[in-house]
Amino acid sequence: MTEALFRIENLRVAYPSHRSGNGAAATDQDSASERTPDYFSTLWAVDDVSLTIQPGERLGLVGESGCGKSTLGRAAMRLLSASTRIEGKVTFEGRSLFNFSPEELRRFRGEAVALIFQDPMTRLDPLMTIGDHCVETLRAHRPQLSQQAAKTEAIATLEAVKIPASRWNQYPHEFSGGMRQRVAIALALLLNPKLIVADEPTTSLDVTVSAQILRELTRLCQERQMGLLLISHDLAMIGEYCDRIAVMYRGKVVETGAARAVLQNPQHEYTQMLLKAALHVQAVPTEGSGGIAELGSEKERSNATKSGEPLLRLQDLKQYYTLEQNFVAKLFFPAEDRTIKAVDGVNLELYPSEILGLVGESGCGKSTLSRTILQLIRPTGGRVEFLGKDLTAFSGASMRHQRRQIQMIFQDPHACLNPSMTVGQSIADPLLIHRLADATAAREKVLQMLERVGLTPATEFYNRYPGDLSGGQQQRVAIARALITQPKLLICDEPVSMLDASVQAQVLELMLELKREFDLTYLFITHDLWVARFLCDRIAVMNAGQIVELGATAKIFSNPQHPYTKTLLAAAPLLSR
């Protein structure tokens, strides 16, 4: 029998825990562990897990946030801190990872196994250009390569993930989140590893780029007999690109098997629940389904959309950037066009009580458009009218007052919540900034809002910190913070893309309920077409800074007109039973 490429046997991982009870998230199990004086928690982040990956095999690892998926991935590369308690065995080509010397471990990371993180900024140095990242990675492991040879090889890899050579000298902050993730994937592929551990690698990528990259990874697995451990909450993607699936729940692998068998006939109740939640979002909305059909018939929604003045109107909106050139580039390429048209002549109307979905590939200008609407960046040209007023003409102080009526929900709730502020303080902050309540009244409003977004008991969550909450709970806090000033418009920038299937469905249902209760209008930015179909009345498809197609959700899905829209729909993975 051939030796497995990668093997995990009876692995258990526990993180050190100094528990003092001051603000830590409390559960029954936590309370029990607080009564023990042990340095390590009695709770195992990974509990008796055994997995194998054969050469050329693609294993998908799915489960809710906090179940131990990422811990398992980091254990595969020995990236856990020395203070972490580890039991069991982890072997690569028959050799124990725990016996590697520091030099062997350095070569192992990158040359043998590469890790793609969910957040690319944990991999990218903000002070280094994208080109420097690539050259440094190559020459650190292959010092015999010349600078020019390393650059040639790196450019070819970047172009394989759709990063043009013209972006070579730019820094990570000059890229969109999705394009940064493409760079991180390119860095993982540079050294041709034997195993790739991909931790939510396509969370921030649109379906077309995601499909291209996963097809490329699939091809490499077949041609080079490279293994792939794909960690994700996207069941449809796992089912389409993986040979086997392992389902993880509370630190344990509760079900494993061939991908098709697990998706068609799940045995464990947790797997069944995950699949049910994912199918609920992907189902075609019908009366009583909980999706957009709950908002009324197609005719009623259409009439509501067309009646009255739009809440938000964008007229020929433009946002251009010019790439800086060094002296040599200016000398030899003086006429080269270095302009990036992030938003290029966008015309759009959003009506009261409407949910308008904005979909498109990463880097197409969706997030830039949202920041321009909020006047966080001033447009190159065009108008942004909100409630009949041109926001581009407002001063900073006047715009600050208008932002009370326009709030934003971001993709990563942890990044937009101050880790040193409690949940109660974070939600109350906008009330105090806009002088809408004093401290006593603000507390009462915050407690009411916590109850409304499902964080109960509210008094307990009020004093917690963001780090004590799960991803879904953090997003509920972000939603509460956005709603506390009673805005008329919510701009939602990928608000559920980082959540697992079950939590994603819960948050989407919550957003629908809050829309009805507070008469909200949503501009919902997403690359997940099934989420857009579930939630939105109309969909605008964006490509290269322009709106290429706009129409009712049902019509966009049943009869797309633009070739790019057809490409998006064809690339979107779909679960089927």
Side-chain angles (χ1 to χ4, degrees):
M1 182 178 175
T2 306
E3 178 64 49
L5 176 68
F6 181 69
R7 186 186 301 275
I8 296 172
E9 297 180 75
N10 307 114
L11 184 67
R12 303 178 86 190
V13 178
Y15 293 106
S17 177
H18 297 285
R19 296 182 180 271
S20 59
N22 54 342
T27 65
D28 292 340
Q29 290 174 303
D30 288 335
S31 298
S33 65
E34 286 174 2
R35 293 192 291 269
T36 66
D38 294 345
Y39 176 62
F40 288 92
S41 167
T42 56
L43 297 176
W44 295 95
V46 173
D47 189 5
D48 197 26
V49 169
S50 297
L51 291 172
T52 60
I53 299 177
Q54 300 294 339
E57 185 178 33
R58 306 181 303 278
L59 173 65
L61 184 63
V62 299
E64 64 188 2
S65 57
C67 72
K69 305 189 302 294
S70 295
T71 296
L72 195 63
R74 280 156 177 74
M77 293 189 71
R78 254 187 69 181
L79 289 174
L80 299 174
S81 68
S83 60
T84 307
R85 181 177 177 180
I86 303 175
E87 298 177 3
K89 293 175 61 178
V90 180
T91 59
F92 183 81
E93 294 184 325
R95 295 186 61 198
S96 172
L97 263 65
F98 303 140
N99 295 332
F100 279 14
S101 67
E103 178 59 26
E104 288 175 322
L105 197 57
R106 190 191 71 82
R107 291 198 305 270
F108 170 76
R109 295 175 183 149
E111 294 179 30
V113 177
L115 177 61
I116 302 172
F117 294 94
Q118 179 175 3
D119 180 3
M121 286 306 287
T122 59
R123 171 66 176 85
L124 303 175
D125 187 332
L127 301 180
M128 293 174 62
T129 66
I130 298 305
D132 288 340
H133 277 92
C134 295
V135 170
E136 181 189 65
T137 300
L138 278 169
R139 299 192 73 187
H141 291 269
R142 293 157 60 186
Q144 73 278 9
L145 274 182
S146 68
Q147 183 83 7
Q148 186 56 46
K151 182 175 180 178
T152 301
E153 192 169 328
I155 286 176
T157 305
L158 286 171
E159 289 182 338
V161 295
K162 307 301 180 184
I163 301 290
S166 61
R167 310 296 294 269
W168 179 263
N169 288 316
Q170 287 190 274
Y171 290 86
H173 74 270
E174 298 177 279
F175 285 69
S176 69
M179 294 188 77
R180 285 197 292 261
Q181 188 64 291
R182 296 190 218 179
V183 172
I185 291 169
L187 290 172
L189 293 174
L190 273 175
L191 298 169
N192 300 318
K194 296 180 180 179
L195 172 67
I196 286 184
V197 179
D199 189 356
E200 301 280 8
T202 59
T203 292
S204 56
L205 300 180
D206 58 276
V207 290
T208 52
V209 175
S210 175
Q212 291 165 5
I213 289 171
L214 288 169
R215 281 197 294 266
E216 178 69 9
L217 287 175
T218 299
R219 183 184 66 80
L220 290 172
C221 287
Q222 294 171 341
E223 291 182 359
R224 304 178 188 176
Q225 286 298 286
M226 181 180 73
L228 174 66
L229 176 59
L230 183 59
I231 302 170
S232 179
H233 60 254
D234 190 333
L235 280 172
M237 182 187 74
I238 290 288
E240 185 166 340
Y241 293 102
C242 291
D243 306 309
R244 291 192 300 126
I245 292 179
V247 182
M248 203 164 179
Y249 180 60
R250 292 189 176 181
K252 295 179 179 290
V253 171
V254 296
E255 185 167 357
T256 58
R260 184 178 295 274
V262 171
L263 293 179
Q264 290 185 347
N265 187 28
Q267 300 299 307
H268 195 273
E269 60 181 3
Y270 175 70
T271 313
Q272 295 168 359
M273 184 272 290
L274 274 183
L275 193 60
K276 182 179 179 181
L279 288 169
H280 175 55
V281 172
Q282 290 195 357
V284 178
T286 57
E287 294 294 335
S289 68
I292 59 171
E294 285 292 321
L295 303 176
S297 68
E298 185 71 37
K299 183 177 180 181
E300 288 170 345
R301 291 197 304 275
S302 178
N303 291 337
T305 296
K306 294 178 180 178
S307 63
E309 286 296 311
L311 181 72
L312 178 72
R313 176 185 281 130
L314 309 181
Q315 294 179 305
D316 197 27
L317 192 64
K318 299 175 182 176
Q319 188 60 257
Y320 294 173
Y321 299 103
T322 302
L323 298 179
E324 294 184 6
Q325 290 178 292
N326 58 34
F327 174 76
V328 175
K330 289 179 180 178
L331 185 65
F332 287 97
F333 306 102
E336 184 179 353
D337 185 9
R338 306 284 291 178
T339 301
I340 295 178
K341 298 180 179 180
V343 177
D344 189 16
V346 167
N347 293 285
L348 201 61
E349 292 181 344
L350 179 58
Y351 289 84
S353 302
E354 182 185 20
I355 305 178
L356 175 64
L358 184 64
V359 303
E361 64 186 6
S362 58
C364 74
K366 303 188 302 295
S367 294
T368 300
L369 181 64
S370 68
R371 291 195 292 269
T372 307
I373 292 171
L374 282 164
Q375 299 300 293
L376 297 175
I377 48 177
R378 293 291 184 174
T380 306
R383 290 167 60 91
V384 178
E385 291 185 6
F386 178 69
L387 294 172
K389 299 175 183 177
D390 183 9
L391 299 184
T392 61
F394 278 33
S395 65
S398 300
M399 191 60 221
R400 177 177 168 179
H401 178 71
Q402 287 296 316
R403 289 197 187 106
R404 171 189 165 185
Q405 303 288 346
I406 311 174
Q407 290 292 310
M408 192 162 185
I409 303 173
F410 295 92
Q411 177 178 8
D412 183 359
H414 187 69
C416 71
L417 297 175
N418 189 330
S420 64
M421 294 174 67
T422 66
V423 165
Q425 291 170 335
S426 291
I427 299 174
D429 205 32
L431 289 174
L432 302 178
I433 289 173
H434 292 285
R435 299 178 182 177
L436 300 176
D438 59 23
T440 302
R443 177 182 170 84
E444 289 303 314
K445 289 178 179 289
V446 170
L447 290 172
Q448 292 172 11
M449 189 58 71
L450 284 171
E451 292 279 351
R452 187 58 199 86
V453 298
L455 294 175
T456 56
T459 51
E460 180 184 324
F461 279 94
Y462 187 95
N463 292 312
R464 290 190 187 182
Y465 288 87
D468 299 327
L469 307 179
S470 69
Q473 289 172 335
Q474 288 176 358
Q475 195 60 286
R476 289 172 185 263
V477 172
I479 292 171
R481 191 176 193 271
L483 290 178
I484 201 70
T485 61
Q486 298 183 343
K488 295 184 181 296
L489 171 63
L490 274 185
I491 299 176
C492 311
D493 192 356
E494 304 278 10
V496 296
S497 67
M498 298 183 75
L499 305 178
D500 58 84
S502 57
V503 178
Q504 185 180 88
Q506 293 167 13
V507 172
L508 289 173
E509 292 288 359
L510 173 65
M511 292 182 71
L512 283 171
E513 293 171 12
L514 294 173
K515 179 202 177 297
R516 301 181 191 111
E517 182 174 336
F518 294 100
D519 193 25
L520 295 169
T521 303
Y522 291 150
L523 175 60
F524 194 89
I525 300 170
T526 182
H527 60 255
D528 190 323
L529 294 175
W530 310 124
V531 167
R533 185 176 69 174
F534 175 83
L535 195 71
C536 301
D537 303 309
R538 289 190 301 150
I539 289 179
V541 182
M542 196 168 184
N543 186 30
Q546 298 180 332
I547 303 296
V548 297
E549 187 164 356
L550 174 65
T553 299
K555 292 179 181 177
I556 291 288
F557 276 84
S558 63
N559 188 27
Q561 299 300 305
H562 196 275
Y564 177 69
T565 310
K566 296 176 182 178
T567 300
L568 280 181
L569 291 171
L574 181 64
L575 281 169
S576 58
R577 294 295 302 274

